Amino acid sequence: MNAAYVKIQDCVNYIRSITEFQPRVALVLGSGLGGYARNMRVEAEIPYGDIEGFPVSTVPGHDGRFLFGYVGEVPVVAMKGRVHFYEGYAIEDVVLPIRIMGMLGAEILILTNAAGGVDLSFNPGDLMVITDQIVSFALSPLVGPNIEELGTRFPDMSRIYDPQLVASIREAAAENGIKVQEGVYLQTTGPQFETPAEIRMFRTLGASAVGMSTAVEAIAARHMGMRVCGVSCISNMAAGILDQPLNHEEVQETANRIAQTFETLITGAIAKMA
Ligand code: HPA
């Protein structure tokens, strides 16, 4: 059997030895949503470090654990902390957690992140519903022998962000009086921020926001048939737009500033999706 598939199964078996929780929704908590557990009735927690073979994040502010619990009535598995390619993991390890959550039964994946605003009409602190993505500047997580048990060799990506889920997020935003932007997320490998020339290129190519995660996770989830949606917190304007250098502290500050609004949006959206 495919070695990558065996590894996913081993992780799932370990988790199943701890909890029988059946999630419907999988939620990846990006920068600013680290405190999202306060919106959940948590029934079980598993630190990534307890799961043999699981990639453990090294980024400050990215505490790593699975949370199993309810958002309203909806059973959710949340990832507090994700794994980034720039940390040095193989791309299949970067998406391993997504595949695990899919194998645990989650049908819907909600991705969140902090991203740099490429669209000149955006402002730091905006929330952007992701409608499509560009991953051509990062690696495909599907490179290598195809995991036939999960999906097909050449999966369709023409509606990678599920239009119905996007509509649910839009509705939740409107009901809660939250203004949201919409746009295309472009993933780089990072970890360096982009140059102004790269940002001009990305804008020309149709990107609205840029970040170092998310798009490969969306691909792995679609490959295995999960329905995917995502929201970016525009934590800063991308390089060269404002006359100031970029830094991780600004990303975290903005993400923390709008955490409450972000949480309200995600909670409202989950209620609509169930
Ligand atoms: N570029 C890439 N990733 C990011 C940015 C950015 O400007 N802001 C937050 N994550």
Side-chain angles (χ1 to χ4, degrees):
M1 203 187 287
N2 185 305
Y5 189 64
V6 171
K7 186 167 176 179
I8 304 164
Q9 276 188 320
D10 287 347
C11 293
V12 169
N13 290 341
Y14 173 76
I15 291 167
R16 281 289 171 239
S17 76
I18 308 276
T19 176
E20 282 302 317
F21 192 89
Q22 298 287 331
R24 272 206 63 204
V25 172
L27 172 61
V28 179
L29 301 170
S31 302
L33 285 182
Y36 190 76
R38 63 178 153 253
N39 300 280
M40 294 175 69
R41 200 149 35 81
V42 176
E43 301 222 322
E45 296 188 29
I46 303 181
Y48 299 152
D50 288 3
I51 309 170
E52 205 181 312
F54 197 96
V56 180
S57 180
T58 58
V59 186
H62 288 269
D63 167 29
R65 57 186 54 229
F66 281 120
L67 306 172
F68 298 88
Y70 291 86
V71 174
E73 298 304 309
V74 183
V76 173
V77 53
M79 285 183 71
K80 186 159 153 42
R82 61 149 60 86
V83 183
H84 302 85
F85 181 68
Y86 61 73
E87 294 174 79
Y89 299 106
I91 195 69
E92 68 261 27
D93 281 339
V94 174
V95 298
L96 174 72
I98 302 296
R99 288 172 162 161
I100 291 171
M101 294 192 292
M103 298 254 299
L104 289 170
E107 300 146 24
I108 291 173
L109 173 65
I110 305 175
L111 295 164
T112 68
N113 60 50
V118 174
D119 185 318
L120 297 172
S121 73
F122 289 180
N123 288 297
D126 282 354
L127 293 171
M128 182 191 89
V129 185
I130 306 175
T131 54
D132 204 347
Q133 70 179 32
I134 297 172
V135 81
S136 314
F137 298 90
L139 280 184
S140 169
L142 306 183
V143 165
N146 185 47
I147 307 178
E148 291 294 331
E149 291 85 348
L150 297 184
T152 175
R153 173 77 290 188
F154 300 110
D156 175 53
M157 293 289 143
S158 45
R159 289 176 148 213
I160 183 163
Y161 291 91
D162 187 291
Q164 260 180 305
L165 298 181
V166 168
S168 297
I169 301 173
R170 249 187 232 134
E171 281 168 32
E175 281 175 19
N176 287 284
I178 299 168
K179 178 175 167 265
V180 286
Q181 308 281 9
E182 290 189 12
V184 174
Y185 180 92
L186 183 148
Q187 179 172 353
T188 66
T189 62
Q192 77 285 359
F193 288 116
E194 302 70 32
T195 64
E198 286 170 325
I199 294 303
R200 287 194 299 274
M201 169 176 70
F202 292 163
R203 189 178 306 115
T204 303
L205 294 177
S208 321
V210 61
M212 305 175 192
S213 67
T214 300
V216 296
E217 298 163 341
I219 291 172
R222 271 315 289 148
H223 175 243
M224 66 188 296
M226 295 174 81
R227 298 172 61 204
V228 179
C229 61
V231 181
S232 294
C233 160
I234 304 300
S235 55
N236 56 283
M237 292 313 287
I241 296 177
L242 304 176
D243 188 20
Q244 63 189 46
L246 272 51
N247 63 73
H248 187 57
E249 288 65 40
E250 181 191 5
V251 170
Q252 281 189 316
E253 269 168 32
T254 310
N256 292 341
R257 176 163 61 79
I258 66 142
Q260 187 70 62
T261 309
F262 207 168
E263 288 177 21
T264 302
L265 178 63
I266 295 301
T267 302
I270 289 174
K272 298 218 163 280
M273 290 169 190

